[in-house]
Amino acid sequence: MEIIRVNTPRGLELKGAMWGDNTMDTVVIIMSGICSNVFQNDLLPATGELLSANNIACIAGHAMDAFSMIAYSDLKNHTQLYTGVVFDDFSLVFEDVESYVKYAKELGFKNIILAGHSLGSNKIINYLGNTSDNLVDNFIVSAPVDLSYWWNLIEEKDMYLKTAQKFIEEGRGKDILPFVFGGFSPMCAETLLSFYNAYNLKNCPVLSNDGETNSLSQIKIPGAFVIGEKDSMAGGDAKLFMEKINSYSMFAKENKVIVIPQASHIFFNKHKEYAATILECVESFAKNKTMNNAI
């Protein structure tokens, strides 16, 4: 695994990871979920290692850098700043995903497959449904989130929002809130409210009916939808949840919906099964491409 640095148009340097190299024809870019990185989410290295062992490169993309409180250099203003989930801006998701895609294109990969896990899936849906570029060949959406449904599952929701709003009113928008969001992520007030109001990520509203499906319907490439059978954010029926999301897709009949037995939202203890599923999807995409070229 190699740590990579990907520049964005606004000057922020994103830190990701890469397995394999650009001597390989195909790369899978996996956008991580919130507060998820290669050092604490075994899903990412398990997938990267298996893919690279099969001559497929893999990039783990950390939008706005998923490492909490990591310093970065603002290349435009020549200043040292801090970022991470503590300081995130969800309105910039499109630019972050696009930067990873263009990074892979500049490395010369012939086939780019864009994947995501959890909120990372919502991020790639936002990008694919709104880009005018044709740089990506296929997608793999895994464990996406109906954002409004998820927020309504959080018992502390009202306390979170009231506290964050109070901090904003007191001019403390960048101060870290006195709780760990969802039990897993520190956040400043501005980040939490940005997350709550991230309409651009409300693109799988099949449970809450709060959001938009245009991004899904405007994805111009075929792909796959992967979910764990026991995903706690799927409303009790993981397969149906994914089939509803897929139904809005342009290639709904071509796309695969894959349920990994007994797997949770984070695929705990099922990382090898998840990695194997991603590999199977990539091999299937390659086979279909070969068949289409032969016609």
Side-chain angles (χ1 to χ4, degrees):
M1 182 186 78
E2 174 191 1
I3 299 299
I4 60 173
R5 288 169 170 77
V6 177
N7 292 330
T8 62
R10 64 187 182 278
L12 184 141
E13 184 183 72
L14 303 175
K15 298 180 182 71
M18 183 172 178
W19 295 262
D21 54 51
N22 60 349
T23 63
M24 302 171 178
D25 288 341
T26 300
V27 63
V28 177
I29 303 170
I30 306 178
M31 298 305 300
S32 63
I34 191 169
C35 196
S36 172
N37 62 52
V38 293
F39 299 112
Q40 50 83 276
N41 184 353
D42 292 337
L43 187 76
L44 298 171
T47 305
E49 289 165 9
L50 181 63
L51 291 178
S52 60
N54 285 271
N55 203 39
I56 300 163
C58 181
I59 291 174
H62 302 142
M64 284 292 284
D65 203 318
F67 301 102
S68 293
M69 301 299 288
I70 291 294
Y72 74 89
S73 299
D74 185 323
L75 302 182
K76 287 188 174 180
N77 298 319
H78 305 290
T79 56
Q80 193 77 358
L81 300 174
Y82 289 94
T83 189
V85 173
V86 172
F87 304 112
D88 207 344
D89 186 343
F90 295 94
S91 69
L92 298 171
V93 162
F94 182 96
E95 183 179 293
D96 290 340
V97 177
E98 181 183 54
S99 295
Y100 277 101
V101 172
K102 290 188 173 181
Y103 175 84
K105 188 66 176 179
E106 289 169 1
L107 286 179
F109 286 105
K110 295 178 182 178
N111 307 303
I112 298 176
I113 297 168
L114 185 59
H117 171 246
S118 191
L119 196 68
S121 285
N122 298 72
K123 292 176 179 180
I124 72 166
I125 290 170
N126 173 256
Y127 168 77
L128 292 172
N130 295 282
T131 183
S132 58
D133 293 333
N134 297 302
L135 303 179
V136 178
D137 297 275
N138 299 99
F139 69 84
I140 304 174
V141 163
S142 60
V145 177
D146 180 337
L147 202 57
S148 292
Y149 176 80
W150 181 40
W151 268 97
N152 287 331
L153 292 177
I154 300 174
E155 294 181 1
E156 303 90 347
K157 171 186 171 181
D158 289 342
M159 182 272 288
Y160 285 172
L161 295 175
K162 288 178 181 178
T163 304
Q165 187 59 46
K166 184 174 184 292
F167 269 48
I168 296 289
E169 292 170 355
E170 293 174 351
R172 296 191 290 153
K174 296 189 183 301
D175 285 3
I176 299 175
L177 293 164
F179 52 76
V180 179
F181 175 82
F184 63 85
S185 176
M187 286 188 183
C188 72
E190 289 180 359
T191 296
L192 188 143
L193 292 180
S194 172
F195 184 32
Y196 180 72
N197 294 312
Y199 188 80
N200 56 328
L201 298 180
K202 293 182 178 180
N203 46 33
C204 294
V206 297
L207 297 173
S208 67
N209 293 316
D210 178 20
E212 56 88 12
T213 56
N214 288 335
S215 294
L216 280 167
S217 64
Q218 291 172 5
I219 297 176
K220 304 176 183 66
I221 54 175
F225 293 88
V226 179
I227 195 167
E229 181 185 19
K230 302 296 184 179
D231 193 312
S232 59
M233 299 185 195
D237 190 330
K239 184 178 181 181
L240 181 61
F241 176 70
M242 284 302 242
E243 287 177 341
K244 285 182 177 179
I245 292 173
N246 180 45
S247 69
Y248 291 99
S249 303
M250 191 177 296
F251 295 94
K253 293 183 179 179
E254 285 185 45
N255 296 337
K256 290 186 176 182
V257 174
I258 303 167
V259 179
I260 298 180
Q262 300 301 310
S264 66
H265 180 75
I266 60 172
F267 298 91
F268 182 70
N269 283 338
K270 296 289 181 179
H271 299 140
K272 290 183 178 179
E273 290 85 345
Y274 176 86
T277 298
I278 300 304
L279 176 60
E280 290 171 6
C281 288
V282 176
E283 292 175 339
S284 176
F285 296 151
K287 182 179 179 180
N288 290 339
K289 186 175 183 178
T290 300
M291 291 175 60
N292 291 335
N293 290 340
I295 296 175

